[in-house]
Amino acid sequence: MTDYKVKDIGLAEEGRMLIEYAEKNMPVLMHLREKYSKTQPLKGMRITGCLHVTKETAVLVETLRAAGAEVAWSGCNPLSTNDKVAAALAANDVSVFAWHGLDTEEYYWCIEQTLKIKPTLTLDDGADLIFTLHQKHEELIPNLYGGSEETTTGVIRVRAMADDGKLKYPIMAVNDADTKHLFDNVYGTGQSAFDGVLRATDMLIAGKTVVIGGYGYCGRGMAVRAKGLGADVVVTEVDPVRGLQARMDGYQVMKMDDAAAIGDLFLTATGMKDIVTGAHMKKMKTGAVLGNLGHYNVEINEPDLMALSKSKTRIRHALDEYETKDGRFIYLIGEGRLVNLAAASGHPSSVMDLSFASQFNAMIWMAKNGKGLKPAVYEFPKELDRETALMKLQTMGIDIDEWTEEQKRYATAYAEGT
Ligand code: ADE
């Protein structure tokens, strides 16, 4: 019998309906499932995954299994597991250890359970699994062909490990695939951030000042959606190029110290701690709403908010109201964890189709090429990006042009000028 721990296995039927709904909106991944269930390129592979347990992730998990892999899974955030989906996976013999609302000790316990299969491949979002393996299970590292990392924060963390000479097996930076960060981070976060904000608060965005901390791909996605909803958008940055881009994209750019006093809604996506601190909170208007879209709950300093407050009340799902000692009300969504997953259902399936097609391809690539590679962070192969994008276009009924033979010749004909 498969080992698992989920909130309630009785939720499996509802979870299965969610997964089947996601499958219908993930045509690229489903195409890969059909193709590779015949050739079984992951046969003999044991994959330990640590990534938000959502309906989209379930489609990925079941595609990995269809391609021959044995899979064990945990969530990568205490508030992002969909308990119905976790139950459906467990009922389908997946070794899944995840439930919504687990604490830190339980979180790492879940990761430990998934390592019992002695993985040959790892699939991570945030690098907690990679780090746990290095810190506590060095004995498992010789089995590993390689791994992949899904998110900006995780790739930064793994690159820091590699720079420090500490990384012990090869990792593919799936986040850096064009078919990941140009779509998931921009359109996925852009939309699902507001899905989370609206489900948690019901607030009207039109006429408000929305402060976006960080103008990376996620920040850009959120800024354009905020503008589309009728907000004045303010961007804060530390990178002068990104700050300049934000200004020329039409947003106000200023220090968080100045933005603090005028913002109605603050959304962070920087990968850095202390973007919004007590010093900023002291200046905020009553009614200010705070939410984070970065991987870890360190961007908005919640202990600072608590220290400024005389009370904290959970007033509805994923929304805490803090009454400050000077009589203002400040609201924090999802305990400062990923707004889109803590308060809503994460990115839509059709954008996760791209991210997870790339994750799936990364697993196949590592199974084939990983053994013998030196421990380093590997770039996602460009040809796989192009294949995935082309397939997605085809599923959308879109044809694009191809160069003629003459154009191909021109592209390399450096002697031809004016
Ligand atoms: N990250 C953001 N949205 C997600 C989703 N729907 N599933 C898995 N990971 C996600």
Side-chain angles (χ1 to χ4, degrees):
M1 219 184 77
T2 311
D3 204 10
Y4 67 81
K5 186 165 163 79
V6 298
K7 184 152 283 168
D8 175 5
I9 194 71
L11 298 170
E13 216 173 298
E14 279 181 86
R16 182 50 53 190
M17 284 196 280
L18 292 175
I19 297 169
E20 285 172 5
Y21 179 51
E23 285 174 352
K24 295 186 177 79
N25 291 295
M26 301 181 82
V28 177
L29 194 55
M30 293 304 282
H31 169 82
L32 295 173
R33 182 186 293 186
E34 199 193 324
K35 177 172 167 189
Y36 288 115
S37 58
K38 295 183 190 116
T39 53
Q40 298 278 291
L42 295 176
K43 198 159 185 60
M45 290 291 131
R46 296 181 301 278
I47 302 179
T48 293
C50 177
L51 194 150
H52 309 293
V53 178
T54 64
K55 60 189 185 305
E56 293 76 23
T57 301
V59 181
L60 171 63
V61 168
E62 293 183 346
T63 303
L64 293 166
R65 289 177 92 205
E70 184 189 338
V71 180
W73 213 266
S74 70
C76 65
N77 183 297
L79 297 185
S80 66
T81 293
N82 181 316
D83 288 320
K84 295 174 184 173
V85 169
L89 283 173
N92 193 25
D93 282 339
V94 178
S95 196
V96 55
F97 296 85
W99 59 97
H100 187 94
L102 40 68
D103 64 26
T104 306
E105 197 180 316
E106 291 167 332
Y107 175 83
Y108 283 103
W109 179 85
C110 288
I111 292 181
E112 288 289 332
Q113 305 316 301
T114 61
L115 288 170
K116 287 187 178 158
I117 63 165
K118 298 189 168 47
T120 55
L121 293 168
T122 64
L123 193 157
D124 221 318
D125 184 338
D128 282 340
L129 171 60
I130 295 169
F131 193 71
T132 302
L133 259 164
H134 281 76
Q135 205 183 29
K136 296 210 188 118
H137 290 286
E138 279 205 64
E139 79 285 0
L140 296 178
I141 290 179
N143 298 328
L144 287 164
Y145 286 58
S148 66
E149 171 50 52
E150 165 86 358
T151 201
T152 316
T153 302
V155 169
I156 292 170
R157 202 171 167 199
V158 178
R159 285 218 166 95
M161 284 173 78
D163 291 347
D164 209 18
K166 295 281 158 53
L167 187 66
K168 298 223 164 75
Y169 67 98
I171 300 292
M172 181 164 287
V174 170
N175 179 70
D176 297 355
D178 287 343
T179 46
K180 201 280 181 180
H181 68 274
L182 294 181
F183 299 91
D184 172 314
N185 301 29
V186 179
Y187 308 106
T189 305
Q191 178 170 314
S192 64
F194 284 93
D195 185 5
V197 168
L198 297 179
R199 287 199 215 185
T201 67
D202 294 341
M203 73 187 283
L204 181 70
I205 306 294
K208 298 286 185 350
T209 298
V210 176
V211 179
I212 306 287
Y215 203 60
Y217 290 99
C218 295
R220 281 170 227 185
M222 293 192 290
V224 78
R225 294 293 170 251
K227 191 174 178 177
L229 287 165
D232 284 334
V233 179
V234 172
V235 170
T236 72
E237 248 304 339
V238 290
D239 180 319
V241 175
R242 287 184 170 183
L244 193 56
Q245 266 184 309
R247 183 67 198 112
M248 295 208 185
D249 283 342
Y251 310 119
Q252 293 185 68
V253 178
M254 62 183 77
K255 283 177 179 282
M256 186 59 87
D257 265 347
D258 299 319
I262 60 172
D264 297 296
L265 170 64
F266 296 77
L267 296 173
T268 55
T270 65
M272 179 48 68
K273 66 194 276 200
D274 289 340
I275 302 306
V276 180
T277 64
H280 304 124
M281 293 160 190
K282 278 185 189 153
K283 297 181 177 175
M284 285 178 187
K285 298 191 277 191
T286 190
V289 176
L290 315 181
N292 166 51
L293 278 299
H295 188 79
Y296 290 112
N297 60 337
V298 294
E299 307 208 10
I300 298 168
N301 193 319
E302 194 277 340
D304 277 5
L305 183 54
M306 199 60 239
L308 285 177
S309 302
K310 58 183 173 203
S311 69
K312 168 185 164 185
T313 315
R314 172 65 49 93
I315 57 168
R316 54 187 288 182
H317 173 64
L319 191 65
D320 289 321
E321 180 183 77
Y322 293 75
E323 185 173 2
T324 62
K325 290 171 189 158
D326 59 10
R328 291 169 301 133
F329 294 98
I330 296 181
Y331 298 88
L332 179 63
I333 303 175
E335 300 173 22
R337 297 193 183 274
L338 290 158
V339 161
N340 55 348
L341 285 143
S345 324
H347 300 351
S349 308
S350 63
V351 83
M352 295 312 295
D353 191 24
L354 288 169
S355 311
F356 287 167
S358 299
Q359 277 288 6
F360 181 75
N361 281 328
M363 288 290 101
I364 291 184
W365 191 93
M366 275 296 177
K368 195 166 157 210
N369 305 301
K371 261 276 151 59
L373 281 184
K374 68 175 195 324
V377 179
Y378 287 82
E379 280 187 16
F380 193 79
K382 277 279 169 253
E383 66 279 8
L384 288 177
D385 250 344
R386 289 176 60 82
E387 250 175 52
T388 304
L390 193 61
M391 219 185 282
K392 187 72 175 176
L393 283 168
Q394 281 165 355
T395 67
M396 296 164 85
I398 296 169
D399 278 334
I400 58 167
D401 288 326
E402 276 179 65
W403 277 351
T404 61
E405 288 310 312
E406 175 58 15
Q407 285 173 316
K408 284 183 197 160
R409 193 194 60 74
Y410 181 76
T412 54
Y414 52 82
E416 262 181 65
T418 304

